[in-house]
Amino acid sequence: MNTPLQAQFAQRLQNLRQQMANARQDAALIFSLDNLRYLYNYSGEAAYGLVTQTNLYLITDYRFLEQAEDECVSDRIPTKVICRDRDKQSLGQAIAVILQSEKVEHVWFEAEHISVGVWDTIAKDNPQAIFTPSTGALEHQRKSKDAWEVAQIKAAAHIADQALAALLPQIQIGASEAELALELDYQMQKRGSQGLSFVTILGFGARSALPHCIPSQKRLQIGDLIVLDFGAVVNGYRSDMTRSFVAGPASSQQQAMFDTVNAAQQAAFALLRDGVAAQEVNAASAAVLQASKFAEFAGPGLGHGLGIKLHEQPFISPVCRENLLRNYVVTIEPGIYIPQYGGVRVEDDVLITENSFEFLTHAPKHFELSL
Amino acid sequence: MNTPLQAQFAQRLQNLRQQMANARQDAALIFSLDNLRYLYNYSGEAAYGLVTQTNLYLITDYRFLEQAEDECVSDRIPTKVICRDRDKQSLGQAIAVILQSEKVEHVWFEAEHISVGVWDTIAKDNPQAIFTPSTGALEHQRKSKDAWEVAQIKAAAHIADQALAALLPQIQIGASEAELALELDYQMQKRGSQGLSFVTILGFGARSALPHCIPSQKRLQIGDLIVLDFGAVVNGYRSDMTRSFVAGPASSQQQAMFDTVNAAQQAAFALLRDGVAAQEVNAASAAVLQASKFAEFAGPGLGHGLGIKLHEQPFISPVCRENLLRNYVVTIEPGIYIPQYGGVRVEDDVLITENSFEFLTHAPKHFELSL
């Protein structure tokens, strides 16, 4: 780990330890791989974290030992990497060894990130510990992005912008959803995306109304609506962008859908700033959709936090009780989905700032493709 | 769903209902997406299954409603698809509505596939139900593949074979791990792989000793060991194959590693047949590695079941208590991993038959690349 990064990771760890102290917890078990990346810089699999006020442990096995030692261990945040022989020691036993050597009693655990089956065995192997769910402790921290995290999401969004620009000339009548999605995925990875942010969504015609359309062999026809939702990954951080097009001149209905969705997005943008209620932003956007002739086809929910995970807190919806704060990165993605006809969605990634917001995605929003 | 497939799915459902009856369970909650694919033919996300002796339910939300109705519902296996408004009804409440209308009491649930956090809310919303973990019920069924399943894995393995053949001429001095992995991934998807079976593992030189090496910018040098572990996906079924190479003429040490690994694989192959103990197969292969000068660098475990999931039952290891039965599909993948030096692994997918086995992977195993 390089030195500037060590400072960021030390801060994250300090914040967690403060939360633990406030909750009178001596240790915290970390089961989410996303949280292990956030807290340990670990990007492998099959690992479990244990944090005390003075030590930091990572339990893994031979398959990920070298990677763990390479990624986690640093001068500033010395991580004790434990290599467990899975044939001889259960996860609960490995945890028990640490808890007993640390003489800790009150232990947080990530109840959202461990199965009932595995947890039952861990609890059985640790009858002396008093376990309490740490629900959302790290997810809460992760909502606010530091400068390095924003830079990674920005870099991912830039790759996605560039890949879309490279794809556009290939969107031609007769091309299939699957062909174009594969080409887009290839262009993102050529530009440095580490895999994909998620399985690219690409639908033509009536299939564009499926909010999670998996690319098929369907071929593009003149007049089809096209919805394209995709993202890149840089150092584990994701981008997420949707653009909608029409193959050729838009019908008045299609143009009205596009204009309505854009107006709904603008209504949300106009309110973004440090401290705004997520519900208020959602309501402003929803009001535009509800006032249109497409009211019954509006998608619920407006957006979500974005970072190590594609969908993370906060979730901008009618039931969200949170405010958006500066340094949050969220998507704003209103959509209209008319079954058996087609859909339009536009989605950007934005960084909330003190008085407004900053775009992280920059691809142009032109609707009609000249084919 | 087409008609021949409906018969296979009807059989799977009947087998589960038989297991439920044997365990005196009135209903079963299915939380694993892999099991939903196996049982319902559903390939989306955010869905939960509920099976009774007479009905089949799938709870999802607006994002996956069309997909669920398209994939699941058939004449032979009528599925009731429930579209839940997540802002207004918890998952536990949606489950309660069904359990109460079905008047069932004893309910199996997949404790391995639901988090402690979500399960606590489901249990709270269903105080009248008596829940019991169904641990491994469907995973047990899934070990034995029907003819259609074998055909899908075979098709995926064929795609991987062909993609590797297309990649080989591009493995040249100076190419990076990431470039070659991207090219291989592209070649598989061009040939119809639906995404990737898993993130392709590709390591040069010392990095080939990492059992799960993520492709980096490292460039190939003459004399480097190369380990390449990858797979394709067809109709949700995965292949998984490893080939090892050396860039140019092999040193005597490298050749000895390769020969030892191949001999270890052959020792396992020689025992494969309906009913053989997995432990016995593992021991035969391990004996070859232990008798070599690489004994201390042998990887533990020999292979795993393969199907909808990359790693599924049975796990062929020293602690496995199972027999391999006809119609199981497993990997056989001995390896030698010398830290800071390099690794060699060879892996094939095989179908266990009455008296022997059948290869599903066919890529040649030549070691030295002429560069």
Side-chain angles (χ1 to χ4, degrees), chain A residues 66 111-112 114-117 210 300, chain B residues 62 66 111-112 114-117 210:
Chain A
E66 280 197 54
E112 303 298 324
I114 190 83
S115 74
V116 172
L210 299 171
Chain B
Y62 82 100
E66 279 198 54
E112 303 298 324
I114 190 82
S115 74
V116 172
L210 300 172

Side-chain angles (χ1 to χ4, degrees), chain B residues 48-312:
Chain B
Y48 311 89
L50 201 159
V51 181
T52 68
Q53 288 296 341
T54 47
N55 284 315
L56 199 59
Y57 298 87
L58 189 82
I59 301 169
T60 185
D61 61 66
Y62 82 100
R63 296 169 300 165
F64 293 98
L65 179 63
E66 279 198 54
Q67 183 177 355
E69 291 183 332
D70 184 47
E71 291 180 339
C72 302
V73 179
S74 73
D75 293 341
R76 191 142 171 182
I77 318 162
T79 306
K80 296 177 198 289
V81 177
I82 314 274
C83 185
R84 174 171 71 102
D85 181 339
R86 293 169 299 160
D87 289 344
K88 295 182 180 154
Q89 188 184 42
S90 71
L91 176 57
Q93 290 166 342
I95 290 169
V97 169
I98 303 172
L99 293 184
Q100 284 160 23
S101 75
E102 289 275 349
K103 298 185 176 29
V104 294
E105 188 180 11
H106 291 92
V107 183
W108 255 358
F109 76 105
E110 297 193 307
E112 303 298 324
H113 301 296
I114 190 82
S115 74
V116 172
V118 175
W119 181 249
D120 283 352
T121 69
I122 293 174
K124 195 163 64 72
D125 283 333
N126 288 274
Q128 76 298 341
I130 300 168
F131 290 112
T132 309
S134 60
T135 308
L138 283 167
E139 285 79 359
H140 171 71
Q141 283 186 215
R142 279 168 46 195
K143 283 185 286 191
S144 192
K145 268 71 182 178
D146 62 39
W148 182 81
E149 293 182 288
V150 172
Q152 310 317 306
I153 303 173
K154 201 177 277 192
H158 181 67
I159 287 172
D161 285 340
Q162 299 290 314
L164 177 59
L167 179 74
L168 280 177
Q170 299 188 47
I171 304 184
Q172 296 291 343
I173 301 304
S176 78
E177 293 169 357
E179 285 165 7
L180 293 178
L182 176 57
E183 187 59 32
L184 182 62
D185 296 349
Y186 184 73
Q187 292 293 342
M188 284 194 284
Q189 292 174 90
K190 271 272 192 201
R191 288 169 170 77
S193 177
Q194 296 147 342
L196 305 172
S197 180
F198 54 95
V199 176
T200 293
I201 293 169
L202 177 52
F204 296 158
R207 291 173 50 80
S208 63
L210 300 172
H212 284 74
C213 179
I214 302 296
S216 75
Q217 298 309 318
K218 184 176 163 59
R219 295 189 176 278
L220 187 63
Q221 297 181 310
I222 194 81
D224 274 352
L225 286 169
I226 304 168
V227 170
L228 188 44
D229 188 350
F230 63 105
V233 185
V234 171
N235 284 319
Y237 285 79
R238 293 160 200 278
S239 74
D240 182 9
M241 175 169 73
T242 307
R243 290 293 180 265
S244 294
F245 304 99
V246 58
S251 69
S252 58
Q253 167 92 336
Q254 290 168 334
Q255 189 65 51
M257 291 169 75
F258 185 72
D259 293 343
T260 303
V261 166
N262 272 295
Q265 198 191 33
Q266 290 298 329
F269 288 156
L271 296 178
L272 293 182
R273 59 174 296 152
D274 184 31
V276 66
Q279 237 175 30
E280 195 184 326
V281 177
N282 185 78
S285 176
V288 174
L289 296 173
Q290 291 307 317
S292 77
K293 63 177 172 175
F294 305 111
E296 66 179 305
F297 303 115
L302 179 62
H304 54 83
L306 182 68
I308 293 174
K309 205 158 176 260
L310 176 64
H311 299 117
E312 54 181 50

Side-chain angles (χ1 to χ4, degrees), chain A residues 123-141:
Chain A
K124 196 163 64 73
D125 284 332
N126 289 274
Q128 77 298 338
I130 299 167
F131 290 112
T132 309
S134 59
T135 310
L138 283 167
E139 286 78 0
H140 171 70
Q141 285 187 212

Side-chain angles (χ1 to χ4, degrees), chain A residues 23-25 27 106-111 119 129-135:
Chain A
R24 297 177 184 278
Q25 297 294 316
H106 291 92
V107 182
W108 255 358
F109 76 106
E110 297 193 307
W119 181 248
I130 299 167
F131 290 112
T132 309
S134 59
T135 310

